[in-house]
Amino acid sequence: MSKSDPVQPDASQSPLTDEPGFGWTTYAERINGRFAMVGFLALLLLEFFTRQDFFTWLGLP
């Protein structure tokens, strides 16, 4: 195989075959990551619009 040949992905590792399941699955990790990104963005927007940090919202000094 030369350097110019594209590498074909393994069909068993394809993201299109991910299915919901119990435990540490690729699907669960992808969903957890997406929820974490949405939550982090929501926290940044909250702090930006209220001009208060997260700890002030929790009532901590």
Side-chain angles (χ1 to χ4, degrees):
M1 182 162 79
S2 69
K3 289 186 176 182
S4 63
D5 292 338
V7 177
Q8 298 297 323
D10 185 11
S12 65
Q13 299 282 335
S14 174
L16 298 177
T17 61
D18 285 346
E19 294 179 3
F22 182 76
W24 298 93
T25 64
T26 307
Y27 178 81
E29 291 301 311
R30 186 173 293 130
I31 293 297
N32 288 340
R34 289 176 181 167
F35 277 118
M37 287 185 280
V38 169
F40 185 71
L41 179 64
L43 180 63
L44 288 177
L45 290 173
L46 176 75
E47 290 186 5
F48 178 75
F49 286 115
T50 63
R51 303 280 191 241
Q52 294 180 347
D53 62 359
F54 178 68
F55 298 110
T56 303
W57 274 88
L58 290 178
L60 299 174

